[in-house]
Amino acid sequence: MLDRIAEFFIFGVVPLVVGILVMPELSVAAEKTLKGEVTYRERIALPPTAVLFVQLADVSLADAPAAVIGEHKVAPAGQVPIKFEISFDPQVIRPDTTYALQARITVDDRLLFISDMRHQVDPLSDAPQTIMLKMVTSSEEPAAAPVFGQSWLVEYIDGIGVIAEPQATFRISETGKAGGNGPCNVYFATAKVDGSTIAISDIGSTFKACASEIMAEEKALFAALAKAASYHIDAGKLIIVDKDDRVILRFNAAT
């Protein structure tokens, strides 16, 4: 009888206790951390209430919102360069997927700096990352006035990046009609502009078929237009952001 009790403790209880003690270590060891810093070119100091947000996102799908893999909030942000560390599960990283870092600095919930260029990254790399932000400035003119009646040339689309040879256009009338020439098709939509807020819906187009990369660009354009939440005009460029204040479209005034 004593032999059986001893056998139970040796082969039953002891391995169970050891397993419980080891499991947390395995969980911690599996976590990956992406490190880097955020900075900007302007020679100005951040206010004490500035907050930095940095996200690691899956930006592979042009017709879907970026899936956040991990994020880091620094509050107060302090002064640049601002260090960040994003912890995430490396098991969710897939080799056939595109990942990017997105960052923004807000002051009292007002957007001050943002990463308006795609910062593509290999999440499993140990290389430190530096994200360059751009200052968001407000036009001195009334916010809504310049956007109407102007033909805009698309030069940046979320999920695609900077367009090497811009051809797609965008135009809004004061009657609420919007549209233009897409990378492949002519498109049309309904736009509601109220101050600096903008909502674009009922997007439709002709049905011409083009090369796959052109169709992907057009699909990304339509998806970004559907996510539009607000806009501003900076140095002659129309910049549209989503509800999270992330730049999703940038246009240059067509001549």
Side-chain angles (χ1 to χ4, degrees):
M1 182 67 178
L2 291 176
D3 291 342
R4 290 186 177 180
I5 294 175
E7 183 178 339
F8 171 74
F9 273 96
I10 293 173
F11 296 103
V13 176
V14 173
L16 177 62
V17 173
V18 172
I20 293 173
L21 293 175
V22 170
M23 282 177 64
E25 295 182 5
L26 292 175
S27 177
V28 173
E31 193 174 68
K32 179 75 175 176
T33 301
L34 184 63
K35 300 180 180 181
E37 63 182 24
V38 170
T39 189
Y40 51 77
R41 293 187 175 89
E42 288 79 3
R43 300 181 66 179
I44 60 174
L46 290 172
T49 55
V51 179
L52 169 67
F53 299 88
V54 186
Q55 293 181 331
L56 171 63
D58 175 353
V59 295
S60 300
L61 299 178
D63 58 344
V68 177
I69 306 300
E71 56 188 337
H72 186 200
K73 176 181 177 181
V74 182
Q79 302 300 327
V80 294
I82 308 168
K83 304 290 184 182
F84 69 85
E85 295 185 1
I86 300 177
S87 298
F88 62 95
D89 181 0
Q91 295 183 358
V92 304
I93 303 301
R94 301 190 302 273
D96 57 343
T97 304
T98 303
Y99 299 94
L101 288 171
Q102 303 167 346
R104 68 184 188 275
I105 296 175
T106 63
V107 177
D108 300 326
D109 295 325
R110 179 176 60 87
L111 184 64
L112 187 61
F113 287 91
I114 194 166
S115 53
D116 67 335
M117 304 288 286
R118 176 186 284 191
H119 186 100
Q120 194 164 322
V121 65
D122 175 6
L124 301 181
S125 171
D126 292 326
Q129 303 296 317
T130 299
I131 306 175
M132 184 64 66
L133 301 186
K134 182 179 180 181
M135 189 174 188
V136 177
T137 58
S138 300
S139 173
E140 295 181 356
E141 301 178 42
V147 74
F148 295 118
Q150 170 69 52
S151 184
W152 300 95
L153 198 61
V154 183
E155 64 175 31
Y156 171 83
I157 304 174
D158 181 43
I160 298 295
V162 177
I163 309 302
E165 297 181 2
Q167 294 182 348
T169 61
F170 176 65
R171 188 181 182 93
I172 301 178
S173 72
E174 293 189 42
T175 60
K177 293 182 179 180
N181 294 316
C184 181
N185 289 278
V186 175
Y187 70 97
F188 45 87
T190 300
K192 182 179 180 181
V193 178
D194 183 7
S196 62
T197 64
I198 184 171
I200 301 172
S201 59
D202 302 325
I203 302 172
S205 72
T206 55
F207 296 97
K208 180 182 176 182
C210 295
S212 59
E213 63 271 16
I214 295 177
M215 296 306 294
E217 181 181 321
E218 185 165 273
K219 193 174 184 180
L221 170 62
F222 296 166
L225 287 171
K227 293 186 290 184
S230 63
Y231 78 94
H232 64 275
I233 295 176
D234 180 16
K237 295 181 184 292
L238 171 63
I239 299 172
I240 294 180
V241 302
D242 63 11
K243 61 182 179 62
D244 297 319
D245 289 325
R246 188 170 58 89
V247 174
I248 54 176
L249 287 167
R250 187 173 68 244
F251 306 83
N252 197 14
T255 55

